[in-house]
Amino acid sequence: MSQISNLIKQSKTLYGVYLCLLAIGVALVGCEKIDITSHDAAEFKVAMLLPASIDDKGWNALAYDALLAIENELDATITPVDSHIPTEHEADLRRSAMEGNHLIFGHGFEYGQSAKTVAPDFPETMFVISSGDIVAENIASMNFEVEPAMYLLGIIAGMMTKTKKVGVIGGQDFPAVISGFDAFADGVNSVNPDTEVFHDYVGNWEDAAKGKELAIAQIEKGVDFIFPNADVASRGVFMAAEEAQNEGNIVYTFGANRDQSEVSPTTVIANAIITPRPFVEIAELVKDRTFTPEIYTYTMSADGAIDMVYNPALIDTVPEAVKTHVANIKARILSGELIVTEIE
């Protein structure tokens, strides 16, 4: 991860200088928009603001994978930006715009309001918010309908649970997280309506100790499948499941947003994933100057943007009847016959 860390550090090397520039920029706000006329047409520059560490092997690692794909496929100059502190989101966005980036991704719903404040001052820069709901002159949002894939994970848990108790653990109760957990619970209940689904939230995305504490509490209640969507905090959930296995308990987990099979190879039985494709497509539109500010929605039915994948190391533990049922439901989703978001 040293190369990744260096890239992130480089993005803040001149931070002291930019503080001065930011002060000038703020002084100009309300008088004149800042026009980035220095954009070099021969150099396509893309920044990605990340709310937590890419070491999470999940939501943030997915974004970094996408950034690397943009670099490789579109010959772009990329900058990953460590943007963990909410009160600094606006400054991070403004600094990235002043660095001359053509496209800035705010990788999370939480960047939306800061983008609304900053974007009008940089009309030549395009801002895109992941899991957002904001559209403006140079702001777009991109949403990932991961619910169908999470519904399939719920089917696996519902058909395989021995205790009729499963759990979900989120970082924060953002709308996209809640929606995914609802789809997971729907999947569970579609095959095993008597199963109890426990819900807990860490309160942030980085406290692995708290994630572990919540997972242990669920396991002590009898939960034998846990679906975490908590970025770095998910590591604690995986650790709790691994320790439970070492004590002779059968406890499995699921991966969120990215294939996390290698993170916990003995517990992650399947994953609901987002591929880099949506990010590359957005970047290509910006580079080609055909980008239109709107809400871009990506689904499991479109271009392989969303999928459900098994952990190859554990796929033999999944009964054939379960795999067959999951495959049949997935086919119905892909054909449009089954719309997961409409299931109550």
Side-chain angles (χ1 to χ4, degrees):
M1 290 293 176
S2 59
Q3 181 181 2
I4 296 171
S5 299
N6 287 336
L7 279 171
I8 294 177
K9 288 177 182 177
Q10 289 170 12
S11 72
K12 291 197 171 185
T13 300
L14 300 178
Y15 188 67
V17 175
Y18 278 107
L19 285 177
C20 297
L21 293 174
L22 286 175
I24 296 171
V26 170
L28 291 174
V29 172
C31 299
E32 183 179 2
K33 292 183 178 179
I34 299 173
D35 187 5
I36 305 297
T37 56
S38 60
H39 277 172
D40 185 351
E43 181 185 19
F44 181 50
K45 300 178 68 175
V46 181
M48 176 83 74
L49 272 61
L50 302 166
S53 171
I54 58 175
D55 291 336
D56 67 350
K57 306 292 186 181
W59 176 250
N60 295 280
L62 148 73
Y64 187 69
D65 290 344
L67 199 57
L68 291 177
I70 290 170
E71 178 185 42
N72 294 332
E73 296 184 34
L74 302 179
D75 193 26
T77 298
I78 61 170
T79 304
V81 180
D82 180 333
S83 184
H84 298 188
I85 303 174
T87 55
E88 296 182 3
H89 287 172
E90 183 176 329
D92 291 338
L93 285 167
R94 189 175 296 278
R95 176 168 50 83
S96 296
M98 294 184 74
E99 289 174 344
N101 285 288
H102 301 80
L103 169 62
I104 301 172
F105 288 101
H107 191 51
F109 173 84
E110 58 268 45
Y111 291 100
Q113 293 305 312
S114 294
K116 286 179 68 175
T117 300
V118 174
D121 298 329
F122 300 91
E124 299 301 314
T125 300
M126 298 301 166
F127 297 80
V128 177
I129 308 302
S130 301
S131 298
D133 58 3
I134 295 173
V135 175
E137 186 174 347
N138 58 331
I139 305 175
S141 295
M142 58 191 305
N143 287 311
F144 314 102
E145 290 189 358
V146 194
E147 289 86 354
M150 294 180 175
Y151 180 80
L152 297 178
L153 298 184
I155 290 175
I156 295 171
M159 293 184 73
M160 291 184 64
T161 179
K162 303 298 184 183
T163 63
K164 292 185 179 294
K165 294 180 179 180
V166 304
V168 297
I169 296 176
Q172 292 175 282
D173 55 350
F174 290 166
V177 177
I178 295 172
S179 179
F181 285 164
D182 286 347
F184 175 82
D186 285 340
V188 171
N189 292 328
S190 73
V191 293
N192 200 337
D194 296 330
T195 299
E196 186 174 3
V197 181
F198 294 85
H199 292 72
D200 285 297
Y201 289 91
V202 176
N204 61 67
W205 304 97
E206 296 193 329
D207 191 345
K210 181 66 173 180
K212 182 178 181 180
E213 177 186 328
L214 293 174
I216 289 173
Q218 288 192 358
I219 292 169
E220 289 176 347
K221 294 175 182 176
V223 166
D224 58 357
F225 279 84
I226 305 177
F227 178 29
N229 187 0
D231 295 347
V232 178
S234 292
R235 288 183 174 183
V237 178
F238 298 141
M239 289 174 61
E242 290 165 4
E243 291 177 7
Q245 287 184 344
N246 291 336
E247 295 171 359
N249 296 321
I250 299 176
V251 178
Y252 290 112
T253 64
F254 298 102
N257 303 311
R258 187 173 183 263
D259 190 339
Q260 296 182 298
S261 300
E262 293 184 0
V263 180
S264 185
T266 66
T267 77
V268 176
I269 201 164
N271 306 265
I273 68 168
I274 303 169
T275 73
R277 193 72 246 150
F279 297 88
V280 175
E281 290 180 1
I282 290 287
E284 189 170 21
L285 291 173
V286 173
K287 184 176 183 180
D288 293 344
R289 300 181 181 275
T290 57
F291 178 78
T292 302
E294 59 185 79
I295 293 180
Y296 293 82
T297 300
Y298 296 90
T299 72
M300 199 163 73
S301 302
D303 303 324
I306 311 293
D307 204 356
M308 191 286 291
V309 296
Y310 290 103
N311 177 357
L314 293 180
I315 193 168
D316 289 341
T317 67
V318 182
E320 287 301 321
V322 175
K323 287 185 281 193
T324 298
H325 186 62
V326 167
N328 289 338
I329 296 299
K330 181 177 180 179
R332 291 179 60 198
I333 292 171
L334 292 175
S335 70
E337 178 186 350
L338 178 59
I339 308 299
V340 169
T341 53
E342 292 183 0
I343 294 177
E344 299 181 352

